[in-house]
Amino acid sequence: MTIQDPFHTLHENTPAIIASYIHKGTTNTFDSLSTSSSPHITIDRRIIDHQDNNNRFDLELKLTAHEGPIELEQLEFVFHMDIENTVMMADGFQCWTHSRELDKHGSISSISRTVAWWTQFDLQGDYNFYQYSGQVGVIHSNSYTYFRNANTTVFVGSLSESSGYTYFKADIPHNRFTIYKDIQGKRLAAGESLELRYLVTQHTDLNVMWQQYAQYYYGSSNALQQQQQQQRHLTGWSSWYNYYERVTEEDVVRVLEAFKSYDYKIDVLQIDDGYQRAIGDWLDVDTQKFPRGMHYLAREISEAGYIPGLWLAPYAVGFKSRLAKEHPDWLLRDGKGNVVVAGPNWGGFYALDIYNPEARAYLQQVFDQVLHDWGYRLLKLDFIFAAAMIPRLGKTRGEIVWDAVTLLNELTQGRALLLGSGVPLAATWGRLDYCRISSDASPFWDHTVLRLAHVRERVATHNALMSTLHRWPMKHVFGTDPDVFFLRSNDNKLTPDERFTTCTVNMIIGQLTLMSDDITKYNAIEHQLYASTFPKVHATIQQMIPIGPDVFRLDYTCNKRRYISLVNLSPVLFKTKLPLDETVAYYFFEQKNPLVDQQGLDDKVAWYKPEHGDEILLRPHETRSFMYITDHFAGSTGHFVPGWDIETWDDQQQDQIIRITLRKNIKTSAFNIWFTVDDGVAPTVFVDDTETEVTVMPLDKSGIHLAKCSIQQDI
């Protein structure tokens, strides 16, 4: 049988269909390969072509019940297409779930049964309702996927996540592709239809494909553009990764005073778990730890010029909470009336029944008090998956989690920025302001036991970075939160390379970048590096590509300048070379990691000419970033992304004059700006309209004639 590429297969071929459903108490199975029709259902396929784009169409698959009611159990559409030599994106079940590209040599295994029994970490994923094959070359992805080869990428994205989770399954060695819908529990009355729709688009640029996909979630291209224009880059501090549940009012006040004292221009100061007496009892503040109440801290944070943020897990109810004892009827129960356990955290927790009117009224009271009376303006809403542990009321799990996110918007009514976490991502696209795109980070690289036990949601910096690198295009559907970075040397097992890698990746990819360090314990170099992250960089990523096993290259622009970052997440030394374009003459500037040997940023710079063929070495877990030099600007050290410290660069070559305007809120007090000079003749340089002394440097080993001006600022 001749098979086609993914794009043409999905456009031209009718899939094999497998459906299982219950009708009048009897389970029925329909398999289009063995029978042509079913007495109870029909399934129709339709292609909607986009007249303005031959490389894009919508695939519609519609199931209609003729005799009802029916309750669906399984629904699959199977295609045979040429994918053996492609790489497939395998996005995880929820934001914490490990996500990355895989090829025919890759595999995805379910959590170890022993570890699941011991830890109950299986409850955080889809292990209990989706069958993992564990076979080499059998890959699955949630909500969307793409197949990439050397020539093009074919993207397939669900437009119907409000009706249930979508899994894209591929048996790559056998060229088999399946669209699987987690449809368990979905009821259809006679004459009622379930319409499933998918965007299929082909391009070489993931940015273009994600922009097309995002338009469906925002309703139009104009709405998408408006959202992206309003989307804010925010930096800040969270209490969790330093104080955890031990956090006190005194801790928060001390941190607040430190940020004011050092005048770090953060945007958000967020109090995480630990202020409440029990999970679910959100308005019962632990007054021994927070004697002046939560409104006091919100006011103090606001008066300091920061956005006050607060953590809530609105659908989680602790075993020992007052809510669980006084309102057991508000808890989610299975078909036998048993309370559903939603996770192991805090000694175990239940889920709130989001369809219970009294429970919804309680949540409205919580949000009204937190937002109106206390005054918090950013809410981190965690463990959202808990609302949808089981299908019920004729709804699928995915339908319920969609309702759960809808409820959050109804309860908050635009009164705060919403940050989602612990949530299947497609339910939040275009619906929350920000969302986590990774697992929790940690002050250690990885957890070996949990990694070997295939806990895809494990707390680990390596796990977080892998997902963050692969989910960078999600900036088109919400503000991305890659979780925190750690610069501190206290209470931290991350190496200097690992700390710098996390900071670099998070700052470049994330739109919301938080940390939890006690900045009063920073040494001088840690302060210098943290200061060099201000103001928050706005990077436009062109691509993220693998260049070796667990080694990646990020291509991006900032302020119209080009950069690459080489990220080695592997445990071994990696050798590579800088890209060489023979049609364009350019050099590279590098500002190296100052944490490695505690040298300042000005002492850690280098220039490279790619035609020299210099070998670039990446230590295990090291990241190195390079700026293309294509004009007279040859680098700077006022920001960890060289050039972001400069607002404008006006090079009047004919008059040998360079006029530089520095960006506002630069926190580095002393730094250098380098530029190339012709024949060793220095131009006249004005910085913020003041003529600045220029020093011509000795000829660099790369063969570049350089000069520099030194900037001193009163910070």
Side-chain angles (χ1 to χ4, degrees):
M1 181 178 69
T2 302
I3 56 175
Q4 294 178 292
D5 63 88
F7 185 85
H8 289 94
T9 297
L10 294 172
H11 188 269
E12 298 170 13
N13 294 359
T14 299
I17 301 166
I18 302 171
S20 176
Y21 58 92
I22 299 173
H23 178 256
K24 294 184 178 180
T26 302
T27 299
N28 299 264
T29 299
F30 169 66
D31 187 337
S32 65
L33 293 179
S34 58
T35 183
S36 60
S37 63
S38 162
H40 308 118
I41 62 171
T42 57
I43 299 176
D44 299 303
R45 170 184 172 274
R46 184 165 71 108
I47 296 294
I48 302 99
D49 288 310
H50 291 257
Q51 299 302 321
D52 61 338
N53 190 338
N54 293 330
N55 290 312
R56 174 182 174 188
F57 65 89
D58 292 359
L59 168 64
E60 183 181 280
L61 300 164
K62 184 167 72 172
L63 183 152
T64 302
H66 293 301
E67 294 185 26
I70 64 169
E71 182 171 313
L72 296 167
E73 292 189 325
Q74 180 187 8
L75 186 58
E76 295 188 56
F77 304 92
V78 184
F79 299 84
H80 286 276
M81 59 194 198
D82 186 6
I83 55 175
E84 185 177 5
N85 296 311
T86 65
V87 173
M88 177 183 177
M89 178 61 192
D91 202 275
F93 165 66
Q94 59 130 314
C95 64
W96 300 340
T97 310
H98 186 84
S99 300
R100 64 169 306 163
E101 292 181 345
L102 293 169
D103 61 13
K104 62 185 178 183
H105 303 294
S107 63
I108 304 176
S109 297
S110 183
I111 187 173
S112 154
R113 291 185 180 181
T114 301
V115 170
W117 176 83
W118 185 259
T119 65
Q120 291 191 308
F121 285 158
D122 56 314
L123 298 177
Q124 298 178 349
D126 55 1
Y127 310 101
N128 296 319
F129 61 87
Y130 179 80
Q131 186 173 357
Y132 285 62
S133 77
Q135 298 176 17
V136 173
V138 180
I139 311 301
H140 68 268
S141 184
N142 292 71
S143 305
Y144 79 96
T145 190
Y146 58 78
F147 294 94
R148 178 176 62 79
N149 61 27
N151 300 315
T152 192
T153 299
V154 176
F155 178 99
V156 187
S158 170
L159 304 173
S160 312
E161 290 305 276
S162 59
S163 62
Y165 301 137
T166 302
Y167 288 80
F168 297 102
K169 305 192 298 183
D171 184 344
I172 297 177
H174 296 96
N175 291 313
R176 179 184 173 101
F177 175 67
T178 303
I179 301 175
Y180 170 85
K181 192 75 173 175
D182 175 41
I183 208 69
Q184 183 185 0
K186 180 64 177 178
R187 291 188 197 137
L188 295 177
E192 189 176 1
S193 295
L194 174 68
E195 189 175 288
L196 308 179
R197 198 164 182 167
Y198 308 92
L199 168 67
V200 183
T201 183
Q202 182 173 247
H203 206 276
T204 56
D205 187 346
L206 273 176
N207 266 313
V208 171
M209 293 184 280
W210 269 93
Q211 285 171 350
Q212 294 172 351
Y213 191 36
Q215 288 179 19
Y216 291 87
Y217 285 90
Y218 285 99
S220 68
S221 59
N222 289 336
L224 171 62
Q225 290 172 3
Q226 183 179 5
Q227 181 272 340
Q228 291 176 338
Q229 288 169 0
Q230 294 175 346
Q231 192 176 87
R232 296 181 61 190
H233 282 256
L234 300 178
T235 62
W237 182 88
S238 168
S239 63
W240 181 248
Y241 296 93
N242 204 332
Y243 300 102
Y244 299 95
E245 295 170 67
R246 305 183 304 272
V247 65
T248 66
E249 177 186 293
E250 182 181 355
D251 296 328
V252 177
V253 170
R254 185 174 61 252
V255 167
L256 176 60
E257 291 302 317
F259 275 100
K260 290 162 60 177
S261 175
Y262 284 100
D263 194 30
Y264 286 128
K265 304 292 186 183
I266 63 169
D267 301 291
V268 176
L269 200 148
Q270 181 245 319
I271 303 166
D272 214 278
D273 183 11
Y275 64 90
Q276 75 289 340
R277 292 188 189 276
I279 297 300
D281 299 336
W282 306 113
L283 303 181
D284 187 6
V285 177
D286 188 336
T287 53
Q288 287 189 330
K289 296 169 65 181
F290 293 83
R292 286 176 282 192
M294 301 308 293
H295 63 284
Y296 164 76
L297 287 174
R299 186 182 71 240
E300 291 295 302
I301 294 168
S302 292
E303 290 179 353
Y306 310 138
I307 298 171
L310 191 68
W311 174 90
L312 290 162
Y315 303 137
V317 182
F319 284 177
K320 298 180 180 180
S321 66
R322 193 178 73 246
L323 189 151
K325 295 175 183 176
E326 296 179 1
H327 301 285
D329 54 317
W330 294 4
L331 303 179
L332 175 62
R333 295 177 182 272
D334 63 21
K336 297 180 180 179
N338 299 316
V339 180
V340 174
V341 175
N345 308 68
W346 314 288
F349 67 97
Y350 306 119
L352 201 66
D353 181 354
I354 65 170
Y355 301 112
N356 182 296
E358 293 182 346
R360 292 167 76 100
Y362 167 69
L363 286 179
Q364 187 67 73
Q365 179 188 359
V366 168
F367 282 106
D368 286 347
Q369 185 156 333
V370 167
L371 297 172
H372 183 269
D373 298 343
W374 291 357
Y376 288 89
R377 292 188 288 125
L378 180 145
L379 299 182
K380 177 183 175 183
L381 303 174
D382 213 347
F383 292 87
I384 297 172
F385 70 83
M389 298 300 294
I390 56 173
R392 59 201 180 96
L393 305 177
K395 296 174 178 283
T396 67
R397 298 174 185 86
E399 199 170 356
I400 294 169
V401 85
W402 192 275
D403 288 348
V405 174
T406 300
L407 178 58
L408 295 175
N409 280 300
E410 292 174 354
L411 295 170
T412 54
Q413 303 252 323
R415 290 176 288 173
L417 296 170
L418 302 185
L419 163 62
S421 183
V423 60
L425 287 167
T428 72
W429 291 343
R431 308 176 78 214
L432 296 184
D433 300 290
Y434 299 92
C435 195
R436 178 77 69 75
I437 56 171
S438 73
S439 68
D440 279 19
S442 60
F444 53 85
W445 187 246
D446 209 344
H447 193 298
T448 303
V449 172
L450 297 185
R451 177 176 58 82
L452 294 175
H454 308 296
V455 180
R456 303 179 71 202
E457 295 75 25
R458 68 187 180 278
V459 175
T461 289
H462 175 267
N463 199 32
L465 287 169
M466 187 66 75
S467 294
T468 295
L469 284 166
H470 285 85
R471 286 170 166 168
W472 66 266
M474 290 188 184
K475 64 180 181 178
H476 296 293
V477 287
F478 49 44
T480 54
D481 168 23
D483 207 24
V484 301
F485 59 88
F486 302 84
L487 296 184
R488 67 183 188 242
S489 47
N490 64 296
D491 299 324
N492 190 1
K493 295 180 181 179
L494 294 173
T495 67
D497 280 329
E498 291 163 354
R499 287 185 274 157
F500 189 72
T501 287
T502 309
C503 178
T504 301
V505 171
N506 287 12
M507 278 291 177
I508 291 170
I509 292 179
Q511 273 118 9
L512 176 65
T513 49
L514 306 180
M515 48 80 86
S516 294
D517 296 347
D518 182 345
I519 59 176
T520 65
K521 296 182 180 179
Y522 276 177
N523 62 35
I525 297 298
E526 290 162 354
H527 267 298
Q528 187 184 39
L529 179 55
Y530 185 51
S532 76
T533 66
F534 293 94
K536 169 73 174 67
V537 65
H538 298 185
T540 301
I541 300 171
Q542 273 78 50
Q543 65 174 358
M544 191 287 298
I545 56 174
I547 58 173
D550 288 355
V551 187
F552 305 93
R553 172 179 144 186
L554 273 171
D555 288 66
Y556 52 99
T557 62
C558 298
N559 207 17
K560 299 181 181 179
R561 297 193 178 277
R562 295 173 59 198
Y563 302 81
I564 62 170
S565 289
L566 306 177
V567 183
N568 183 8
L569 300 187
S570 81
V572 298
L573 182 73
F574 184 78
K575 299 179 182 179
T576 187
K577 292 183 179 180
L578 293 171
L580 173 62
D581 183 348
E582 296 180 354
T583 65
V584 180
Y586 56 80
Y587 297 85
F588 284 100
F589 171 75
E590 179 186 19
Q591 186 175 232
K592 299 181 181 179
N593 179 2
L595 298 174
V596 170
D597 51 20
Q598 298 293 299
Q599 284 184 304
L601 293 171
D602 283 329
D603 300 314
K604 303 278 287 185
V605 297
W607 290 265
Y608 305 89
K609 196 170 186 178
E611 63 194 57
H612 291 172
D614 295 333
E615 203 167 54
I616 301 298
L617 301 180
L618 293 170
R619 296 185 295 269
H621 311 161
E622 182 185 17
T623 291
R624 296 177 64 177
S625 299
F626 304 85
M627 182 193 79
Y628 287 81
I629 301 173
T630 56
D631 57 14
H632 283 114
F633 177 61
S636 58
T637 54
H639 197 277
F640 92 102
V641 176
W644 190 250
D645 39 14
I646 295 173
E647 186 76 40
T648 62
W649 175 281
D650 183 10
D651 193 345
Q652 301 170 8
Q653 296 185 29
Q654 185 174 358
D655 299 324
Q656 286 286 293
I657 295 174
I658 297 176
R659 297 185 182 275
I660 299 169
T661 303
L662 297 180
R663 194 177 292 275
K664 294 180 180 179
N665 297 325
I666 293 294
K667 282 297 298 175
T668 304
S669 58
F671 60 96
N672 291 322
I673 299 175
W674 283 274
F675 38 90
T676 62
V677 294
D678 299 323
D679 301 322
V681 178
T684 302
V685 177
F686 292 87
V687 177
D688 290 340
D689 295 324
T690 300
E691 186 172 351
T692 304
E693 182 180 351
V694 175
T695 303
V696 177
M697 310 296 291
L699 187 66
D700 183 80
K701 65 179 182 179
S702 61
I704 309 176
H705 288 278
L706 293 169
K708 72 174 181 178
C709 58
S710 297
I711 308 299
Q712 298 287 333
Q713 293 194 117
D714 294 328
I715 301 297

